[in-house]
Amino acid sequence: MIIAIDGPAGSGKSTVARRVAKRLAFTYLDTGAMYRAVTWRALSCGIALDDVASLSRIAREEPIAFTHARDTWQPDLITIAGVDATSSIRTPEVDAAVSAVSAIPAVREALVEQQRAIARGTDIVMEGRDIGTVVFPAAELKVFLTASPEERARRRAGQNARRHTGETDPHAILSQIAERDRLDSARPTAPLVAASDALVLDSSKLEARQVAAVICRTAVERGATDPRAIRHAPPDAHPPSGTRRHPTGRSSHGRTWHIGHRGDPPQGADPSEDSHEA
Ligand code: DC
């Protein structure tokens, strides 16, 4: 089963998507981190944001890999071309440049192809902007998560303060968010828009746990296996058919999941350590 969670920056997608993945024992993919990784790689190689050919080559050829803590889906390590980009992709420089990079059709094409490959044969929660409209228009469950701009700015400020990175003034963030919403919604390729059959949820006044509960309930109604139901089932009960329980093509290693290309971990990084990022 594919659960697509789309929505604007700060709508709570990541927190909710990770909760849902954990609760349903699905794989999790943050596609925004892929656009950020390409952007960071370009900036760090001195590539101009209008150099479409070089940006597209990075998206096509430089492998992105995620190592997640298995119990929380917090990212332990994100690499591109084998280089650790875990915290660099959340800097203000990347925030400012990522909309331009993600508007390039060839960049999107390359990353969408990777996203589809990662999901093959897997129960997955995938979050982004165009998952329900472009990447998986036939996803079994599509969610469009919104929240008021003020609430989204407040959340992003708290997140940045906890991560010790980026802007922490909610007023400054509010104008950045408004600009990124405008760019993401107005671009001709895969704009940020709710799929016509998406479940639209406003998280302004709901906690992540409540939003995740609605999504999990709907997913189970549509055929997802509820691991809690299996745990509490009598010994001779069979799990409902129709969903696959474990991501294939990926390897579980200790307390981590690896997704995407598996190169050598960059020097100094220990992919088996859990992240404490909030
Ligand atoms: O979710 P995020 O803020 O980390 O996403 C970073 C940027 O990437 C955002 O400006 C929009 C873009 N993006 C996209 O165009 N399509 C996606 N599927 C995910 C993110």
Side-chain angles (χ1 to χ4, degrees), residues 35-49 55 85 87-102 156 160 164-167 176 180 183:
Y35 290 95
R36 287 174 175 277
V38 170
T39 305
W40 172 76
R41 180 73 172 157
L43 293 176
S44 64
C45 294
I47 290 168
L49 295 180
L55 292 165
S87 44
S88 338
I89 62 169
R90 308 281 169 198
T91 56
E93 292 74 26
V94 172
D95 277 347
V98 67
S99 284
V101 173
S102 60
R156 193 45 62 95
N160 286 352
H164 302 291
T165 176
E167 182 61 69
Q176 288 170 7
R180 204 134 63 85
L183 293 170

Side-chain angles (χ1 to χ4, degrees), residues 233-264:
D236 59 344
H238 296 294
S241 59
T243 57
R244 298 164 288 259
R245 298 297 320 289
H246 293 288
T248 54
R250 268 144 302 289
S251 55
S252 92
H253 171 76
R255 293 180 301 157
T256 63
W257 282 116
H258 300 285
I259 292 181
H261 170 86
R262 288 207 56 192
D264 292 330

Side-chain angles (χ1 to χ4, degrees), residues 87-125:
S87 44
S88 338
I89 62 169
R90 308 281 169 198
T91 56
E93 292 74 26
V94 172
D95 277 347
V98 67
S99 284
V101 173
S102 60
I104 299 171
V107 168
R108 304 200 68 83
E109 218 172 276
L111 295 188
V112 166
E113 192 180 313
Q114 292 173 39
Q115 290 153 16
R116 289 182 179 145
I118 286 168
R120 204 162 291 139
T122 301
D123 290 322
I124 193 165
V125 180

Side-chain angles (χ1 to χ4, degrees), residues 6-10 13-14 30-33 35-36 90 95 98-99 102-103 108 115 127-131 135 156 180 184 187 190:
D6 292 305
K13 293 189 302 293
S14 300
D30 171 7
T31 61
Y35 290 95
R36 287 174 175 277
R90 308 281 169 198
D95 277 347
V98 67
S99 284
S102 60
R108 304 200 68 83
Q115 290 153 16
E127 60 147 303
R129 302 291 192 287
D130 61 339
I131 311 305
V135 186
R156 193 45 62 95
R180 204 134 63 85
D184 293 343
R187 69 182 176 217

